[in-house]
Amino acid sequence: MSNPVLQVNDISMDFGGIRALDEIQLDVRQGEIAALIGPNGAGKTTFFNCITGIYTPTTGDVLVSPEGGAAKRINGMKPNLVTELGMARTFQNIRLFPSMTVLENVMIGTHCRTRSGLWGAVTRNRATRKEEADTIEKSFHLLELMNLEQYSNELACNLPYGKQRRLEIARALATGPFLLLLDEPAAGMNPQETMALKELVLDIRERFNISILLIEHDMKMVMSTSDRVFVLEYGRLIAHGTPKEVSENPAVIKAYLGEDEDV
Amino acid sequence: MSNVTKADTGASQNPVAFFLTAGCESFAESLRKSVLASLWFIFLTFPIMVIKVDTINKTIDWRWMNMAYIGIGTFVLSFVWRWALARKELTKEESTRENISEKMLDRISSNSYAKYGFLALFAAAAVVFPHAVGMYQTNIMISCLIYIVLGLGLNMVVGIAGLLHLGYVAFYAVGAYSYALLNMHYGIGFWTALPIGALFGVVFAVLLGLPVLRLRGDYLAIVTLGFGEIVRLVLENWGDVTMGPSGISGIDRPGFFGVKFGVMDSITYAYYIMLGLLIFTIFVINRLQNSRLGRALLALREDEIASQAMGIDRTKAKLLAFALGSCWAGLAGVVFAAKTTFINPASFTFWESAIVLSVVVIGGMGSIRGVIAGAVILVLMPEYLRAFSEFRMLVFGATMVLVMVFRPQGLISAKRKIYTYVKGKSATNE
């Protein structure tokens, strides 16, 4: 078994008196696609927000170890530093930069991997021009990968929904992550688009050699892509294991379908 | 107006054809509503416009003609208003941002001959201007240039980074007072004071920004508004240092290697200084806009949480925008002090902040050409409308309302840069 790149130890998140997450234990291994599923309101997105620094978990540890390096505790770290460490996310309700072009959206993703500052911007010296050209090239490649290159100079808000989702993934990839966090990437997609997305997710893992943690409601997608599945209900982790194990777990069936009173 | 059909959008340019395509129903509807509006106005204004009590003869004058004027005037205005609104609805569907003047601007800037031709023409006009017209006109143009620079500076904060800043004039005051005080106490000249004023602007911006920039939107607006007022009140009441409301007079005009100018020449000189400063500002801001940092600021405006998740340091980016904006306010302040040779706190009221903000909003947030157009309209218009000085504020207000209703994105909206990519090497063009 390869090393975990993300190790979450017993994190809890309280909002006032409400415990949104209760001692969640989760890990994602190098090169793995893990899925986090659960009914609406189970705390999946809260979990994402906790590990990406948007919320600070009340208790527990979030540890990351990129490239087999030493584990680093990232609780309460600012979101931009978490991204810089190598965890990039997408959002459930798409959060692109609507009045910037598609290409610029991806270029923003490279922000934390580039360095040019005020002086470089004004003088446009050689280093800045080189960096800018590299950024453009990299962004175009990512758009090509997502089949979005013909839209590169459109405003992001003019893209159709499914393409906006793909653009969000491209933008996240531009930050050069070792772990990609996808929050319901297939939401609002039709079956064909979901199939294409499934292929894309598998392709991304191969191509960039990264791990993926996925929140998804589409069971077909979850079952066919992920290596391991974690199930949340009411902020508690009720099951985890391979897709097959999880789909046969009585607690999971109960959470999704309700209890059968006749049995 | 909801039943306007999308039938022939080309006809929307022509009022008659528009109503023909839009259908008789909407035409009749507009007529009916306009008649109602004019009746309502006749009723509202009846007591003051029609009835006139003659206290000497103890009679009442019935000025029926006034009623007719009001009725016809309101009817026409209301009808034109409705037509314009309906046309706007119709054209919105075909394209959200294009209009004729913008298309023309695009055509000019896409053709490099035309572009440089126009630029050369502008440059020539700008250089000749102070010699072609009198001192009065040059003075007006200097203040217009100052407002353009202020607008471009505030554009960094409001237009690009999306931070609503209502106390911008405070930093303008900081610049002006730094030069005035340094000059009064230490005899420091204009050229030395110019960078110092900018520096003070930046320092004050950072001092204010550090605690304040965690606020968003309305809260930030209120705090910056408060800061602007605090600075003005300090200037007014700290008499020992700032000379209080009576202000500081006898500030040196800009020097030129020790040459002293007469009044006329020094104004021409100030004009050229301001022109140079403006070109410098446009150069820097134009380069910043399409740089890594400029994009980061734009992203911050678009979506704060997403921009953080993409690795942009929110605090740093906001401070940068704030500091850059204030830097230009400081520069403009120094020039202002040097140009007028007299400053007092009355020049730095909230009204100034409001005008600069209007310049940015009306011109077009985030657009350099827009801000220039906005400043030219908002600053020059009141000057040349002095003849109708009673109605100046009315026209000013009406312009604002009209622009906001019909072109909410500003007169000239910001365009994003177009990138083209060729395998192996990347090329860009504007």
Side-chain angles (χ1 to χ4, degrees):
Chain A
M1 263 309 147
S2 41
N3 306 323
V5 288
L6 171 73
Q7 175 81 44
V8 179
N9 289 331
D10 300 324
I11 64 163
S12 302
M13 181 77 217
D14 295 337
F15 293 110
I18 293 169
R19 175 148 282 209
L21 291 176
D22 192 8
E23 307 205 323
I24 307 289
Q25 177 87 28
L26 182 150
D27 64 290
V28 181
R29 296 172 194 142
Q30 166 59 34
E32 173 181 60
I33 296 182
L36 185 62
I37 64 172
N40 286 330
K44 303 181 296 289
T45 299
T46 308
F47 178 78
F48 263 28
N49 287 342
C50 279
I51 60 176
T52 54
I54 292 178
Y55 300 148
T56 306
T58 318
T59 58
D61 285 329
V62 183
L63 304 165
V64 296
S65 41
E67 304 281 324
K72 195 167 180 189
R73 189 168 174 275
I74 59 165
N75 302 34
M77 208 182 232
K78 278 183 173 178
N80 54 304
L81 294 177
V82 173
T83 308
E84 217 172 308
L85 262 179
M87 288 182 22
R89 68 172 293 180
T90 66
F91 293 88
Q92 183 179 2
N93 43 348
I94 302 175
R95 303 191 84 127
L96 290 168
F97 307 118
S99 56
M100 297 173 82
T101 64
V102 168
L103 184 73
E104 281 175 321
N105 266 275
V106 184
M107 286 165 87
I108 292 285
T110 65
H111 185 88
C112 60
R113 301 280 172 247
T114 45
R115 283 291 154 263
S116 70
L118 204 55
W119 182 249
V122 175
T123 56
R124 277 197 194 156
N125 50 23
R126 184 184 290 251
T128 311
R129 287 201 308 269
K130 168 100 174 51
E131 192 180 273
E132 188 80 2
D134 289 347
T135 301
I136 293 170
E137 186 172 347
K138 186 180 170 190
S139 309
F140 261 108
H141 281 313
L142 282 169
L143 286 179
E144 264 168 12
L145 182 69
M146 298 288 158
N147 272 327
L148 291 170
E149 74 274 16
Q150 68 270 39
Y151 303 105
S152 45
N153 286 313
E154 298 268 338
L155 292 188
C157 58
N158 294 341
L159 282 190
Y161 193 78
K163 296 195 170 78
Q164 291 198 3
R165 287 241 174 252
R166 290 220 299 276
L167 176 55
E168 251 206 326
I169 298 176
R171 189 179 65 174
L173 282 173
T175 65
F178 64 84
L179 175 63
L180 186 61
L181 306 166
L182 302 176
D183 197 344
E184 295 200 19
M189 285 188 173
N190 62 32
Q192 286 84 20
E193 285 175 318
T194 310
M195 277 300 290
L197 181 74
K198 193 189 100 185
E199 296 302 318
L200 185 70
V201 169
L202 291 170
D203 183 44
I204 287 172
R205 170 173 64 171
E206 293 304 315
R207 201 181 282 261
F208 296 93
N209 188 26
I210 60 177
S211 325
I212 294 169
L213 177 60
L214 179 79
I215 292 180
E216 194 42 76
H217 277 304
D218 188 297
M219 280 307 138
K220 232 160 81 191
M221 172 155 177
V222 169
M223 294 304 160
S224 58
T225 53
S226 33
D227 302 313
R228 284 188 304 153
V229 178
F230 295 82
V231 189
L232 277 186
E233 192 200 10
Y234 297 121
R236 258 189 297 273
L237 194 66
I238 56 169
H240 68 98
T242 63
K244 191 163 156 45
E245 283 166 20
V246 165
S247 63
E248 287 162 1
N249 187 318
V252 177
I253 297 170
K254 191 180 131 196
Y256 269 90
L257 302 175
E259 205 156 5
D260 197 342
E261 292 187 357
D262 291 346
V263 175
Chain B
M1 291 295 104
S2 54
N3 45 13
V4 165
T5 56
K6 209 186 149 188
D8 182 10
T9 45
S12 62
Q13 305 301 330
N14 175 340
V16 181
F18 165 71
F19 274 119
L20 287 178
T21 51
C24 295
E25 200 181 357
S26 75
F27 184 69
E29 183 71 10
S30 308
L31 270 182
R32 195 178 68 82
K33 284 195 172 155
S34 302
V35 169
L36 279 180
S38 82
L39 285 177
W40 179 236
F41 258 78
I42 289 172
F43 173 73
L44 276 183
T45 53
F46 189 80
I48 49 170
M49 295 305 286
V50 179
I51 303 173
K52 188 183 178 197
V53 180
D54 192 334
T55 44
I56 300 163
N57 298 323
K58 305 232 161 115
T59 56
I60 293 176
D61 285 350
W62 299 90
R63 296 175 296 175
W64 297 109
M65 278 316 282
N66 275 357
M67 188 170 102
Y69 294 147
I70 293 270
I72 293 168
T74 316
F75 175 78
V76 169
L77 278 181
S78 160
F79 193 76
V80 167
W81 177 258
R82 265 159 229 288
W83 167 69
L85 270 183
R87 211 196 88 169
K88 182 189 155 218
E89 285 295 310
L90 202 70
T91 48
K92 195 155 65 180
E93 284 166 14
E94 49 186 283
S95 107
T96 42
R97 339 199 301 156
E98 297 289 328
N99 69 356
I100 300 167
S101 58
E102 271 188 39
K103 271 181 198 146
M104 217 155 84
L105 272 176
D106 275 352
R107 204 170 300 158
I108 289 168
S109 50
S110 63
N111 177 342
S112 61
Y113 282 120
K115 185 179 169 186
Y116 290 115
F118 265 89
L119 276 182
L121 210 67
F122 258 114
V127 169
V128 177
F129 186 82
H131 303 288
V133 299
M135 194 170 88
Y136 172 71
Q137 302 289 343
T138 313
N139 244 327
I140 291 174
M141 197 43 87
I142 294 175
S143 44
C144 181
L145 290 175
I146 289 181
Y147 275 99
I148 295 177
V149 169
L150 284 176
L152 287 171
L154 188 62
N155 187 33
M156 284 299 292
V157 188
V158 179
I160 295 179
L163 307 166
L164 186 50
H165 188 354
L166 295 179
Y168 192 60
V169 77
F171 301 104
Y172 183 42
V174 165
Y177 269 87
S178 344
Y179 174 47
L181 291 172
L182 285 172
N183 183 260
M184 187 172 75
H185 293 300
Y186 306 106
I188 285 179
F190 171 79
W191 291 107
T192 325
L194 202 58
I196 297 178
L199 187 71
F200 275 144
V202 170
V203 169
F204 270 78
V206 171
L207 284 182
L208 171 71
L210 277 175
V212 153
L213 285 177
R214 66 193 67 217
L215 302 173
R216 289 187 205 186
D218 312 353
Y219 303 101
L220 180 69
I222 292 169
V223 174
T224 49
L225 175 69
F227 180 76
E229 284 304 288
I230 289 170
V231 167
R232 190 180 59 81
L233 287 173
V234 166
L235 293 179
E236 228 159 60
N237 295 305
W238 196 10
D240 299 341
V241 174
T242 65
M243 319 287 278
S246 54
I248 300 172
S249 54
I251 304 164
D252 283 347
R253 291 178 186 280
F256 183 74
F257 299 112
V259 180
K260 287 270 176 218
F261 291 114
V263 176
M264 178 71 197
D265 284 338
S266 71
I267 281 173
T268 312
Y269 183 44
Y271 170 83
Y272 285 126
I273 289 174
M274 211 47 229
L275 198 63
L277 193 61
L278 175 65
I279 291 167
F280 172 67
T281 311
I282 293 176
F283 174 78
V284 170
I285 287 182
N286 188 34
R287 289 205 150 180
L288 264 179
Q289 259 186 352
N290 287 313
S291 71
R292 169 176 173 267
L293 289 177
R295 283 193 299 268
L297 294 182
L298 264 176
L300 194 73
R301 175 188 81 180
E302 297 285 299
D303 192 324
E304 205 168 311
I305 289 180
S307 68
Q308 271 186 296
M310 288 304 116
I312 293 165
D313 188 331
R314 182 178 64 178
T315 322
K316 254 195 212 162
K318 282 186 176 177
L319 264 185
L320 176 76
F322 222 60
L324 277 175
S326 308
C327 169
W328 268 282
L331 285 177
V334 173
V335 179
F336 174 74
K339 172 211 152 202
T340 53
T341 72
F342 165 75
I343 52 168
N344 71 350
S347 311
F348 308 105
T349 54
F350 171 68
W351 177 240
E352 298 295 314
S353 289
I355 296 224
V356 179
L357 189 66
S358 318
V359 162
V360 175
V361 173
I362 286 185
M365 298 236 266
S367 147
I368 293 177
R369 290 185 300 197
V371 170
I372 294 173
V376 167
I377 290 176
L378 284 192
V379 179
L380 293 189
M381 191 181 70
E383 289 299 336
Y384 292 118
L385 287 179
R386 262 185 208 286
F388 317 93
S389 59
E390 291 162 56
F391 303 105
R392 232 177 358 157
M393 282 301 127
L394 198 67
V395 176
F396 191 84
T399 317
M400 295 259 230
V401 172
L402 286 175
V403 170
M404 283 300 102
V405 170
F406 292 106
R407 282 193 72 73
Q409 72 276 45
L411 291 172
I412 303 175
S413 53
K415 282 262 159 60
R416 298 309 307 154
K417 186 172 176 170
I418 306 287
Y419 291 89
T420 52
Y421 174 70
V422 190
K423 277 246 181 314
K425 69 176 183 116
S426 55
T428 62
N429 53 39
E430 302 281 340

